[in-house]
Amino acid sequence: SPRVAGCAWGCFGSRVVSGLILGRILAGVTVLIGGTFFAYLVFPPIAWLEQRGWPRWLAIATVYVALGLLLGGIFAFLGPRIAFESRTLGQDFPGLLTQARDSIVGANNSLLSSVPLEARESAANLVDQLVVQLQTQAGAFAGQALKIALSVASVITALIIIPVLAAYIILD
């Protein structure tokens, strides 16, 4: 009946509109919740410095600088190591796949020697197919890497906005 169809379309439309509205305000709500949580986390050292006679603005600045130096030191230590390991994996990956294929097919492996040769060759063919698929999907992987980079940029932006909001919350 037209009345039921109209009601169904109205319910569907209201859900779509409310979903769009909630999607728009979700980023703002996330920043507000994150800022409040961050303010809650950094308030104890700020209060401790204030009890020792420091002005609030100086206590906030000191805690933020200390956190920045701590996180910067961690990233300065871990960043080059992660980059080195990623490069090494990229260079060694074809050799690792070849070793995996050879160890699957090779009869010298005591663990796989009881497996029939046809099954081992089938497993080796699966490894070869994996290599071919990785080579053909390299463009898609690069696209995913770009999406990941954009997500990281938005997280970094949030990590800048949240402490600034928390500083305003603490200053009040």
Side-chain angles (χ1 to χ4, degrees), residues 45-136:
I46 292 171
W48 183 79
L49 290 173
E50 279 186 303
Q51 288 174 354
R52 303 229 165 351
W54 291 43
R56 183 174 282 243
W57 68 268
L58 185 59
I60 292 171
T62 303
V63 169
Y64 274 44
V65 167
L67 281 174
L69 290 174
L70 178 70
L71 292 176
I74 289 171
F75 288 133
F77 176 71
L78 292 179
R81 184 69 183 170
I82 291 172
F84 172 75
E85 293 294 335
S86 298
R87 253 181 283 146
T88 303
L89 177 64
Q91 293 168 354
D92 293 347
F93 193 68
L96 293 172
L97 286 176
T98 303
Q99 285 177 348
R101 185 185 193 293
D102 291 344
S103 65
I104 290 171
V105 175
N108 297 333
N109 190 344
S110 63
L111 178 66
L112 296 175
S113 61
S114 62
V115 176
L117 180 62
E118 295 83 21
R120 287 184 284 164
E121 287 177 351
S122 176
N125 288 336
L126 288 175
V127 172
D128 291 339
Q129 290 173 0
L130 174 67
V131 170
V132 170
Q133 187 175 6
L134 287 174
Q135 289 172 347
T136 57

Side-chain angles (χ1 to χ4, degrees), residues 34-47 63-64 67 162 166 170:
T36 304
F37 182 70
F38 187 77
Y40 179 75
L41 288 177
V42 298
F43 185 73
I46 292 171
V63 169
Y64 274 44
L67 281 174
I162 287 173
I170 294 171

